[in-house]
Amino acid sequence: MLRVRQVCVNLAKTRQKPYKRPFPKLIIDTAMGQYIYFTQANNTAGRLKGEAMGQKRLIEKIRNIGISAHIDSGKTTLTERILFYTGRIHAIHDVKGKDGVGAKMDSMELERERGITIKSAATSVQWKDGAINIIDTPGHVDFTIEVERALRVLDGAILVLCGVAGVQSQSITVDRQMRRYKVPRIAFINKLDRAGANPFRVTEMLREKLSLNAVLMQIPIGLEDKHEGVVDLIRGKAVHFKGEQGETMEYAEIPDDLKEDYKKYRNEMIEKLADFDDELAEKFLNEEEVSEDLIHKVCRKACLSLDITPVFMGSAFKNKGVQACLDAVLAYLPAPDEIQNSALDMDQEEKEIPVAVDPDKPFVGLAFKLEDGRFGQLTYMRIYQGTVKKGDFITNSRTQKKVKVPRLVYMHADDMEDIESASAGDIVAFFGIDCASGDTFCDGTIRYTMTSMFVPEPVMSLAVSPKERSGSANFTKALQKFRKEDPTFFVHRDEESAQTIISGMGELHLNIYIERMKREFSCDVVTGQPQVAYRETISKPIDFDYTHKKQTGGAGQFAKVVGTLEPIDQNAAKNYEFASKITGGRIPKEYIPAVDKGFVEQMKKGPLIGFPIVGIKASLIDGAYHDVDSSELAFKICAMAAFREAYLKAKPTALEPIMKLEVSCPEEFQGNVIGNINQRRGVIKGTHSTDQFTTIEAETPLSEMFNYSTELRSSTQGKGEFTMEFSHYSKVPPVIQEQLAKAYTEKKEGSS
């Protein structure tokens, strides 16, 4: 059931006194079974007739969406305007905090200082007769896990694109993440006020680079400094955004100089939509007038089936186009009951079970994000089924621990509003729930597990230690907190060097956590040189045949394993496979998992350069056992020794992470930038120029990219910028492999 914020309602008072923003504009009269809607213009109350209190009708009014894009495309600026136009905030603030306040959704001091989003932030707004839960996500690839876990629990998304740069490297990554979770999206082409803005070129990039069936729903009225508004291709009206902050939408006749463009692009829109509806196709072929309702209906159906991406446009910074984008969210993105979600029933051997958006069914919720806040651990949860109330007991499906819900809140960035209960379709936060990111909670009558989000492997490591001995306790607390919050932040101790090693998605990722240690835990740290997350693998198949014998006076140890190791794609989803081909009871079934465990244990650290081994398929073909001396431990030790012996004969090789690099700079510096990339062992994949600005796409080894930002700034007079994300692993050159092997040998000898 659609929950109303608990700050709002005494229904008797709504008839006596008009409320000013940010009072919610949609509440529910449970006695009358109707909505009460407050218009934004005058805050007067009026009942929406004929809308019964039925659960399905209420669920249809909810939208759970994310706002995602490449860094600096204007996501947070767009969200700030959405909050203002929906009455959630009273004033618009600058993203970089120049006004001393900063954007509402960037609540961290570091976010306001750097002008980037680091942590995803959740909020809820009321727009017209709908309730929209929004998660604003980071654009920088180092914080991609924030986008990943947001899209895992959301039903729809707004893909924001810069009107000048168009589809950029992180736009491609975000699109891939949306496809992974089958998230319908609309596109919003932002920054049409900037020099060089061209929404038609960006739409073509959506089609060519992302293979999206992008359908223009608007065309601009002017561009750059002449951008005034948009033409609505469905209504056939010009839309202007009036008022000091664009809060009033005014519809007018289409300017004469745009009427031909309107006919052309409206015809193109209807032609594209005709592929998905016979009635519309018939009207299009007969050149009959197509009604607005039919266009909306077909557009919604095609958007939900991922067949089209409706394209809207404007300038969030100049307060143009945002309200029309909000209308599109309600019109074309799905309600919770229009998305099919499923869970695995752990009591029925992980049988896949559909999860119903029904408040009366057993409770199912997914914890997708954790924060250690000022009141303790804050657990963000998407509720997929059932209802949960403050004081209820819920059960963690992974640990089977039963916990009480002491406090339940709606989040508004770093602010919160207490509520008494929440139901299917809601995104809320719990206090006092100890769990891990990705845990599923149920009411105890069932044991369901929702599939978790994809977590990328770290690509960079750093040795860290507290500067002062007195800071050790806070240092440990900080690492524990960060590791719990962020699944891509890893901590381990290197036994050979006795150093604490942190690993993450890149330089910025690790630097942010180091800075947070200083600010949040008053702990200055000393850092070593950044270390690339190399890997090892084998180059050819190899057989193994190993017997483990050990006699100690009593029962001894005996195991024999025979099989093969062969290379597989080290960039595949699974970097290790195990297959048992044992027949005739040559090895008892209970010992075979121990062989698998032995191989996995040995792959944690390779003998070549001391990094994890990937890309191997191990096949167990034959073996032998002893009735008395064989055990699980004996077979595990045997497997580890067999792996070590065979590995060194299989031509092991070192692998290094290759990054996808995208550099933008003025054309005059193109030669300098390409030359510098070549010096860093980079491979140029392509270049394209727009309005005297060049974008260079390349693949470069991560080990060569440290301090690249400083060098790029100096070689482009501060005008160049770049983004970088992990692409794949590739073999290192022989010379570098020798250096890595030598360094590892010296490190081992030095620690012994």
Side-chain angles (χ1 to χ4, degrees):
M1 175 178 168
L2 179 60
R3 296 296 170 191
V4 182
R5 308 205 176 289
Q6 302 302 304
V7 295
C8 54
V9 170
N10 179 327
L11 287 175
K13 290 184 179 179
T14 62
R15 300 183 180 91
Q16 301 170 5
K17 180 181 177 182
Y19 283 81
K20 296 182 179 179
R21 292 191 305 185
F23 186 85
K25 291 169 285 302
L26 175 68
I27 61 177
I28 300 165
D29 186 334
T30 54
M32 297 297 294
Q34 294 176 315
Y35 292 111
I36 296 179
Y37 173 64
F38 290 82
T39 63
Q40 188 162 340
N42 56 19
N43 290 327
T44 58
R47 293 181 182 274
L48 300 181
K49 296 180 181 178
E51 297 194 3
M53 190 61 186
Q55 173 62 24
K56 184 171 177 59
R57 183 60 184 162
L58 297 177
I59 286 292
E60 285 178 354
K61 299 295 182 180
I62 299 177
R63 299 291 182 271
N64 292 317
I65 67 164
I67 300 180
S68 303
H70 183 89
I71 190 170
D72 202 30
S73 293
K75 298 177 305 303
T76 304
T77 302
L78 175 63
T79 310
E80 185 80 355
R81 270 55 180 182
I82 288 174
L83 295 178
F84 178 75
Y85 296 135
T86 57
R88 231 22 193 107
I89 58 176
H90 299 289
I92 296 172
H93 296 290
D94 185 76
V95 169
K96 294 192 176 181
K98 293 176 183 176
D99 55 5
V101 179
K104 178 64 184 176
M105 301 301 278
D106 284 347
S107 56
M108 286 178 62
E109 186 180 344
L110 275 169
E111 290 178 315
R112 291 172 177 175
E113 285 179 9
R114 294 173 181 249
I116 61 172
T117 301
I118 295 171
K119 296 198 301 183
S120 58
T123 189
S124 300
V125 300
Q126 302 285 346
W127 178 247
K128 296 187 175 176
D129 63 343
I132 307 174
N133 296 316
I134 300 173
I135 298 181
D136 177 31
T137 62
H140 200 287
V141 68
D142 282 21
F143 310 107
T144 190
I145 187 62
E146 296 287 338
V147 185
E148 198 78 44
R149 55 187 171 190
L151 291 176
R152 168 63 186 85
V153 300
L154 293 171
D155 304 321
I158 302 175
L159 175 62
V160 183
L161 301 135
C162 173
V164 180
V167 175
Q168 298 167 272
S169 60
Q170 189 64 7
S171 310
I172 298 171
T173 301
V174 167
D175 174 69
R176 187 168 63 245
Q177 291 168 321
M178 290 180 182
R179 291 176 191 270
R180 179 180 294 134
Y181 301 111
K182 297 181 175 59
V183 177
R185 87 290 299 266
I186 62 174
F188 181 75
I189 302 175
N190 194 22
K191 300 191 175 186
L192 294 192
D193 59 303
R194 280 187 57 189
N198 185 341
F200 304 107
R201 178 174 56 82
V202 176
T203 304
E204 282 304 314
M205 292 174 78
L206 283 169
R207 294 166 182 161
E208 293 170 7
K209 287 194 171 187
L210 300 184
S211 300
L212 293 175
N213 188 8
V215 179
L216 279 169
M217 312 303 289
Q218 301 171 335
I219 58 173
I221 301 175
L223 290 170
E224 302 177 354
D225 58 344
K226 296 178 181 176
H227 179 52
E228 297 177 12
V230 295
V231 172
D232 185 331
L233 296 180
I234 299 178
R235 290 192 180 190
K237 295 287 184 180
V239 187
H240 297 275
F241 301 88
K242 300 293 186 178
E244 187 178 340
Q245 291 171 312
E247 61 268 23
T248 305
M249 290 175 66
E250 286 188 1
Y251 289 89
E253 293 302 313
I254 299 170
D256 291 339
D257 60 337
L258 287 176
K259 285 184 177 177
E260 286 302 314
D261 285 343
Y262 161 70
K263 291 177 183 177
K264 171 188 171 183
Y265 287 109
R266 177 182 166 84
N267 196 59
E268 182 183 292
M269 173 190 70
I270 294 174
E271 183 179 4
K272 283 182 175 290
L273 293 176
D275 292 337
F276 308 103
D277 186 82
D278 292 340
E279 182 186 352
L280 195 150
E282 186 178 343
K283 288 181 178 291
F284 173 71
L285 292 173
N286 294 331
E287 297 184 359
E288 298 176 15
E289 185 61 31
V290 182
S291 69
E292 292 180 22
D293 288 343
L294 181 58
I295 294 175
H296 284 306
K297 172 188 159 188
V298 177
C299 187
R300 178 177 180 79
K301 180 178 73 173
C303 183
L304 297 192
S305 61
L306 306 180
D307 289 317
I308 68 164
T309 299
V311 178
F312 298 83
M313 59 192 66
S315 168
F317 183 68
K318 295 293 185 180
N319 309 314
K320 291 179 171 62
V322 178
Q323 297 97 314
C325 185
L326 276 170
D327 288 340
V329 167
L330 296 181
Y332 306 129
L333 292 183
D337 61 345
E338 293 176 297
I339 297 292
Q340 180 58 59
N341 291 294
S342 60
L344 303 178
D345 190 340
M346 307 306 288
D347 292 330
Q348 297 188 50
E349 298 181 343
E350 298 189 4
K351 179 183 177 182
E352 190 168 319
I353 302 290
V355 178
V357 185
D358 186 335
D360 299 322
K361 289 202 170 185
F363 171 75
V364 179
L366 176 67
F368 66 93
K369 177 180 167 68
L370 309 179
E371 276 185 19
D372 193 2
R374 57 187 184 273
F375 301 112
Q377 180 174 304
L378 188 64
T379 303
Y380 288 79
M381 193 174 296
R382 164 70 192 267
I383 301 174
Y384 286 96
Q385 178 176 287
T387 300
V388 63
K389 299 176 182 177
K390 190 167 74 171
D392 281 356
F393 285 90
I394 57 177
T395 302
N396 188 322
S397 293
R398 179 177 60 87
T399 64
Q400 283 297 284
K401 287 185 178 179
K402 185 180 284 189
V403 292
K404 186 178 181 180
V405 180
R407 189 179 177 194
L408 192 60
V409 298
Y410 276 121
M411 295 303 299
H412 178 43
D414 59 340
D415 294 333
M416 57 195 71
E417 298 165 0
D418 283 275
I419 56 176
E420 294 299 318
S421 65
S423 295
D426 282 339
I427 294 176
V428 294
F430 293 69
F431 277 104
I433 303 294
D434 186 30
C435 65
S437 183
D439 281 353
T440 302
F441 285 86
C442 301
D443 64 355
T445 63
I446 56 174
R447 192 184 170 202
Y448 287 180
T449 296
M450 305 291 294
T451 55
S452 191
M453 68 288 296
F454 170 77
V455 179
E457 291 290 320
V459 296
M460 185 179 292
S461 300
L462 203 61
V464 293
S465 60
K467 196 171 186 179
E468 305 289 342
R469 186 182 293 271
S470 58
S472 296
N474 282 351
F475 177 72
T476 303
K477 284 181 187 176
L479 293 182
Q480 289 175 344
K481 172 186 174 180
F482 299 153
R483 183 168 55 180
K484 201 168 187 180
E485 284 183 4
D486 186 350
T488 60
F489 181 77
F490 291 79
V491 182
H492 75 275
R493 182 174 176 79
D494 188 327
E495 297 302 331
E496 292 172 357
S497 63
Q499 290 179 310
T500 299
I501 308 295
I502 59 174
S503 304
M505 302 306 297
E507 276 186 288
L508 178 62
H509 189 210
L510 298 181
N511 287 339
I512 288 293
Y513 280 117
I514 288 167
E515 186 64 26
R516 286 184 64 188
M517 284 186 209
K518 181 179 178 181
R519 297 189 184 200
E520 296 175 25
F521 292 88
S522 302
C523 178
D524 284 330
V525 297
V526 178
T527 60
Q529 286 295 316
Q531 187 179 57
V532 175
Y534 292 101
R535 295 288 185 265
E536 297 183 26
T537 193
I538 57 176
S539 302
K540 68 173 188 177
I542 194 76
D543 295 331
F544 61 83
D545 185 340
Y546 190 86
T547 303
H548 171 65
K549 291 181 181 179
K550 188 175 182 182
Q551 198 66 39
T552 56
Q557 291 182 2
F558 178 86
K560 181 179 180 179
V561 293
V562 180
T564 61
L565 300 179
E566 53 188 313
I568 57 174
D569 182 8
Q570 65 271 7
N571 291 298
K574 288 185 177 180
N575 56 41
Y576 164 72
E577 294 179 16
F578 175 76
S580 173
K581 300 177 182 178
I582 296 295
T583 57
R586 299 288 293 173
I587 299 176
K589 288 183 179 180
E590 61 266 27
Y591 295 150
I592 292 174
V595 178
D596 185 17
K597 289 178 183 177
F599 290 151
V600 171
E601 184 69 27
Q602 198 57 46
M603 289 177 66
K604 288 181 179 178
K605 192 170 187 179
L608 183 65
I609 59 173
F611 282 86
I613 299 169
V614 298
I616 288 183
K617 179 178 180 180
S619 299
L620 182 62
I621 299 171
D622 199 2
Y625 74 103
H626 187 275
D627 288 333
V628 177
D629 292 345
S630 290
S631 64
E632 287 189 20
L633 178 62
F635 272 95
K636 181 178 178 181
I637 293 172
C638 183
M640 293 173 68
F643 189 97
R644 280 196 304 269
E645 184 179 84
Y647 181 77
L648 294 173
K649 298 175 184 176
K651 290 190 177 180
T653 183
L655 304 169
E656 63 181 344
I658 303 298
M659 311 301 286
K660 185 166 66 175
L661 176 71
E662 187 176 283
V663 184
S664 298
C665 65
E667 286 182 344
E668 60 190 286
F669 302 113
Q670 180 177 340
N672 293 343
V673 171
I674 290 177
N676 188 274
I677 292 172
N678 289 331
Q679 289 175 4
R680 294 172 180 266
R681 293 197 286 126
V683 177
I684 306 298
K685 292 294 183 180
T687 63
H688 59 270
S689 298
T690 306
D691 298 323
Q692 299 183 339
F693 230 73
T694 295
T695 299
I696 302 160
E697 296 173 354
E699 289 183 350
T700 57
L702 176 61
S703 58
E704 303 287 345
M705 296 305 293
F706 296 125
N707 301 317
Y708 179 64
S709 57
T710 303
E711 203 163 319
L712 178 65
R713 281 196 296 267
S714 63
S715 63
T716 60
Q717 298 178 6
K719 299 174 183 177
E721 57 184 38
F722 78 100
T723 59
M724 187 170 66
E725 66 176 307
F726 172 74
S727 175
H728 62 278
Y729 273 95
S730 181
K731 292 181 180 179
V732 302
V735 175
I736 295 178
Q737 180 169 312
E738 287 178 16
Q739 295 172 355
L740 293 170
K742 183 180 178 183
Y744 178 56
T745 302
E746 291 174 352
K747 182 181 177 182
K748 285 198 298 184
E749 291 173 351
S751 61
S752 60

